[in-house]
């Protein structure tokens, strides 16, 4: 069957416009070489081919394991699969050429092309992503997105042991570096032979656009600096974000905060995330508005959202950068001990922001989510971080994606929530200890209305409430009287300051 699978893979690659008909023999020979096959035998298919590229890759990789071409290890199979697809996609220069030819017609055509390519080339793992559990939960702030991330398969014990024993290497320096483009991978470092990036000029600097291999929303992209330098929030950050949405007005783009606890998972490489998706926070109404002296062409408001969000709007990018820098500088040095907000301990800063930029009609918008990463004895993981009562659902950082209203929850919840459902229905169960109190609370609440048909929706809605509670915990200014008075004090301090030159 191997010859049939190879031919079917080539046929699907042509259909997906990864290669042209003129490339068929060349591409097939490249695949045969990887499989250590010295010839190709034409074989009539036993049935009509309806396998996707991902299905065919699995079959061919399994053949490679069976015939000892590679070892039956997770990392080796990922590397081989990526190398197979690299035979079927163009080099970065050609992909960039096509991207910018499309861009000349419409920026949306360009990103559509690259997104389709990234999926068809198996860089975005759509078959695995479809295993994620995704749903929405209605709240007073709009519909929050919930994702239980089961798309990334678990490694087998032998792979984990080999990774532990492998020689350490600093090439590429991290998972984001441009040196990942076309990198075969190794034990402990993901396969990237089929990885491609788009070159983007931002203010005379080289940046690179790629899609996340495990997209959490439509066209979930990553924009990364050519330089492997630490994340750092500054006026230049705001200008880059707004310049990017000027180039790609159908996308939003934002940055994780630049401090631990409130920052993202990779703080060692300057990067942003964006995409073609409208989050609940984007659609949220204004709670109240304010004015800042010296910024007459900037509309300022507080967003009705569980976290503390300032929204700035203007037709002029420069005005937004100046206004955003003005607020950021004030926040970096702002303390309100009555609300546990302390700007620094010695030389260690605690205040920063999570910024998000977008184009909305003729206006540019800059959202500034105020963050603080202090800890104390009661909250060792963070005062403004999901508190202990939600850790059984969400213990990880509230990063850029979560800030905007999309929960990325751990894979363990898929099975654990099923056990909670059984508990509610008085069935035999194996509820984890850390869920027991919550499960009992739900059992009392839904004792009358829960049945096999409704229990899943009840539990999912309650998970959404836990995520919302985590967002509220992360707010530096809570949505109560004391918190909102504190927010107004901060805005008053911003409004009375002199204009900061950028």
């Amino acid at each position: 069957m191997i010859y049939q699978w190879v031919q079917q893979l080539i046929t699907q690659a042509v259909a997906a416009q990864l290669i042209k008909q003129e490339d068929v023999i060349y591409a097939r020979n490249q695949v045969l070489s990887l499989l250590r096959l010295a010839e190709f035998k034409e074989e009539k298919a036993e049935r009509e081919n309806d396998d996707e590229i991902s299905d065919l890759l699995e079959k061919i990789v399994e053949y490679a394991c069976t015939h000892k071409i590679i070892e039956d290890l997770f990392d080796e199979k990922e590397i081989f699969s990526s190398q197979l697809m690299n035979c079927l996609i163009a080099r970065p220069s050609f992909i960039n050429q096509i991207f910018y030819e499309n861009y000349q017609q419409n920026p949306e055509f360009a990103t559509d092309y690259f997104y389709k390519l990234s999926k068809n080339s198996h860089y975005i793992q759509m078959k695995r992503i479809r295993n994620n559990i995704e749903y929405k939960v209605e709240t007073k702030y709009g519909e929050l997105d919930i994702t239980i991330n089961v798309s990334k398969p678990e490694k087998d014990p032998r792979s984990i042991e080999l990774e532990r024993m492998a020689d350490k290497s600093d090439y590429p320096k991290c998972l984001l570096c441009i040196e990942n483009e076309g990198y075969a991978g190794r034990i402990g470092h993901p396969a990237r032979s089929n990885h491609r990036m788009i070159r983007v000029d931002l203010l005379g600097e080289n940046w690179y656009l790629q899609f996340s291999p495990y997209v959490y929303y439509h066209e979930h992209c990553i924009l990364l600096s050519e330089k492997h330098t630490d994340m750092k929030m500054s006026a230049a950050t705001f200008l880059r974000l707004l310049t990017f949405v000027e180039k790609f007005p159908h996308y939003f783009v934002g940055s994780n905060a630049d401090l631990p606890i409130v920052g993202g998972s990779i703080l060692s490489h300057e990067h942003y995330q964006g995409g073609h998706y409208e989050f609940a926070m984007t659609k949220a109404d204004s709670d109240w508005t304010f004015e800042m002296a010296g910024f007459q062409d900037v509309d300022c408001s507080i967003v009705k959202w569980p976290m503390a969000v300032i929204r700035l709007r203007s037709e002029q990018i420069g005005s937004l950068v100046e206004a955003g820098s003005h607020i950021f500088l004030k926040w970096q040095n702002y303390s309100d001990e009555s609300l546990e907000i302390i700007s620094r301990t010695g030389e260690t800063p605690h205040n920063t922001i999570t910024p998000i930029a977008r184009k909305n009609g003729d206006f540019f918008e800059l959202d500034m989510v105020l963050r603080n990463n202090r800890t104390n004895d009661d909250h060792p993981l963070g005062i403004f971080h999901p508190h202990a009562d939600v850790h059984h659902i969400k213990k990880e950082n509230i990063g850029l994606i979560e800030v905007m209203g999309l929960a990325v929850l751990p894979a363990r919840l898929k099975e654990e929530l099923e056990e909670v459902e059984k508990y509610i229905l008085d069935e035999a169960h194996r509820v984890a200890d850390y869920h027991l109190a919550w499960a009992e609370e739900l059992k009392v609440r839904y004792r009358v209305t829960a049945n096999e048909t409704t229990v899943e929706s009840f539990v999912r809605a309650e998970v959404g409430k836990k995520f919302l509670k985590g967002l509220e915990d992360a707010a530096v200014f809570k949505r109560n009287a004391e918190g909102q008075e504190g927010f107004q004090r901060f805005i008053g301090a911003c409004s009375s300051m002199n204009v900061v030159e950028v």
Side-chain angles (χ1 to χ4, degrees), residues 10 19-30 32:
I10 300 299
I19 59 174
K20 296 183 178 181
Q21 193 61 41
E22 298 93 323
D23 303 318
V24 165
I25 294 174
Y26 171 85
R28 187 175 66 199
N29 282 335
Q30 296 298 301
L32 293 176

Side-chain angles (χ1 to χ4, degrees), residues 288-305:
W288 44 280
T289 62
F290 63 95
E291 295 180 355
M292 289 196 301
F295 299 103
Q296 286 77 15
D297 61 343
V298 178
D299 298 329
C300 310
S301 64
I302 303 303
V303 180
K304 185 180 179 182
W305 192 245

Side-chain angles (χ1 to χ4, degrees), residues 94 126 135 170 182 189 234 349 403:
F94 181 78
M126 290 306 299
Y135 62 94
D170 61 356
H189 191 102
S234 68
V403 160

Side-chain angles (χ1 to χ4, degrees), residues 162-289:
L162 286 173
E163 184 173 334
R164 188 185 67 82
M165 296 170 58
D167 293 336
K168 303 303 179 186
S169 171
D170 61 356
Y171 182 88
K173 288 186 175 68
C174 77
L175 296 176
L176 293 176
C177 287
I178 180 60
E179 285 79 13
N180 284 280
E181 188 176 46
Y183 185 65
R186 59 178 186 268
I187 297 295
H189 191 102
R192 292 292 183 259
S193 292
N194 58 338
H195 184 25
R196 301 293 186 268
M197 299 188 198
I198 300 299
R199 279 62 182 161
V200 178
D201 181 295
L202 281 184
L203 310 176
E205 300 174 343
N206 294 327
W207 286 69
Y208 299 91
L209 178 68
Q210 66 169 77
F211 289 107
S212 169
Y214 294 99
V215 291
Y216 293 131
Y217 51 85
H218 187 58
E219 296 185 40
H220 177 186
C221 69
I222 300 170
L223 185 67
L224 58 104
S225 172
E226 182 177 51
K227 300 175 183 176
H228 181 80
T229 55
D230 291 347
M231 297 280 287
K232 183 173 176 56
M233 203 61 55
S234 68
T237 306
F238 309 146
L239 184 55
R240 289 192 205 102
L241 296 178
L242 290 162
T243 300
F244 179 81
V245 297
E246 183 179 36
K247 290 176 178 284
F248 299 93
H250 58 298
Y251 271 18
F252 82 90
V253 67
S255 174
N256 270 304
D258 55 349
L259 296 180
I261 297 177
V262 296
S265 58
I266 301 179
L267 297 180
S268 61
H269 194 127
E270 189 87 42
H271 71 285
Y272 313 132
Q273 295 182 77
H276 197 180
Y277 189 72
E278 191 173 45
F279 290 87
M281 193 183 87
T282 307
K283 296 180 279 189
D285 294 330
S286 295
D287 223 359
W288 44 280
T289 62

